[in-house]
Amino acid sequence: MSNTRAPNFTKSEENLLLSLVSKYKNILECKLSNTDANQKKNQCWKKIEVDFNSLSGQTFRDYKVLNKKYDNIKKRTMKKFADEKAYVGGTGRGSQQSIEATDVDVAVKEILGARLMGHSSEFDGDSETTSFQSNSGIICLMTKMMIVLCQKIKPEQFREKCLLWIK
C-alpha cells in the first residue's frame, strides 16, 4: 500500500473546518489534558471528521489530519497576531505595521478569544483613575500576606486594618 499525498486544503475546506471546530470549541480548546478530557476531544474530532467529509464532498480527511490542519492554522494565526503585538510594543519611529487579517484569521480569533489577544490589565496603563480607588478590596486582599508575615498580627486584627484602609 503506497501512501499518496492528499491534495492541499482549499479555502472552503479551511472555512468549513473552522466552522465545525467553533461548534465544539469549549471541548477542543479546554486546557485539561487528563484521560477524560482527551477522550472527549478525540470524540469531537471524530464527529468533526464525519461532518467534514459529508459536507465537503471532496477528498476524505481523517480526524488526525483535520486536527493537525487546525493546529497549523492556529499556530500561523497566533504568530501573525503576536508579531503585530511585538511590533506595536517595540520602540522606534517607523510606520505602524498592520496585519491583513483574512477570514480564517478572524474565525480563529473568535474561537480562541482572550487566548489570542490577551487580557487587558486593570493595574497597568495610562488610565486617569487609580486602581487603588476602584479595586481597594483586591488591594486589601493582596496585602494580607504582607501584613501577616511582616507584622505577625493575628488574623482577627487583619479585618480591622483592612476595613480602615478601604475607608
Side-chain angles (χ1 to χ4, degrees):
M1 184 167 120
S2 66
N3 288 338
T4 58
R5 188 176 179 279
N8 292 341
F9 277 76
T10 63
K11 289 292 179 192
S12 62
E13 285 180 314
E14 285 183 357
N15 289 329
L16 175 60
L17 174 62
L18 290 173
S19 69
L20 293 171
V21 167
S22 68
K23 196 161 66 168
Y24 300 106
K25 70 181 178 183
N26 293 334
I27 297 170
L28 296 175
E29 289 299 326
C30 179
K31 288 294 194 180
L32 291 176
S33 62
N34 57 27
T35 306
D36 220 21
N38 288 337
Q39 285 177 350
K40 287 180 183 178
K41 289 177 187 181
N42 281 335
Q43 289 171 356
C44 283
W45 280 112
K46 288 177 183 175
K47 288 178 190 175
I48 289 173
E49 174 190 335
V50 170
D51 293 346
F52 182 88
N53 289 316
S54 65
L55 293 171
S56 75
Q58 297 176 8
T59 306
F60 175 81
R61 309 282 187 179
D62 186 51
Y63 76 95
K64 292 178 184 177
V65 172
L66 295 172
N67 187 351
K68 183 68 173 172
K69 179 63 177 177
Y70 173 67
D71 284 343
N72 289 339
I73 291 171
K74 189 167 59 168
K75 285 177 192 173
R76 185 179 65 224
T77 302
M78 290 176 83
K79 181 171 176 14
K80 188 184 284 189
F81 282 101
D83 288 347
E84 180 192 33
K85 189 175 181 180
Y87 185 83
V88 169
T91 60
R93 296 182 186 260
S95 62
Q96 183 173 353
Q97 176 186 15
S98 63
I99 63 164
E100 293 186 25
T102 63
D103 53 344
V104 171
D105 295 331
V106 172
V108 172
K109 185 177 177 180
E110 288 175 9
I111 292 169
L112 296 180
R115 266 187 65 200
L116 182 63
M117 298 308 292
H119 297 284
S120 60
S121 175
E122 297 177 36
F123 302 106
D124 189 24
D126 296 333
S127 175
E128 293 295 320
T129 62
T130 62
S131 60
F132 295 107
Q133 294 169 347
S134 60
N135 298 302
S136 57
I138 294 171
I139 301 297
C140 186
L141 291 175
M142 289 170 50
T143 58
K144 177 180 180 180
M145 186 184 336
M146 190 172 67
I147 294 170
V148 172
L149 293 176
C150 294
Q151 297 180 358
K152 296 186 179 183
I153 64 171
K154 296 178 184 175
E156 302 85 51
Q157 294 172 328
F158 166 74
R159 188 170 190 275
E160 295 173 9
K161 287 193 180 231
C162 196
L163 290 174
L164 289 173
W165 289 337
I166 291 174
K167 294 178 185 178

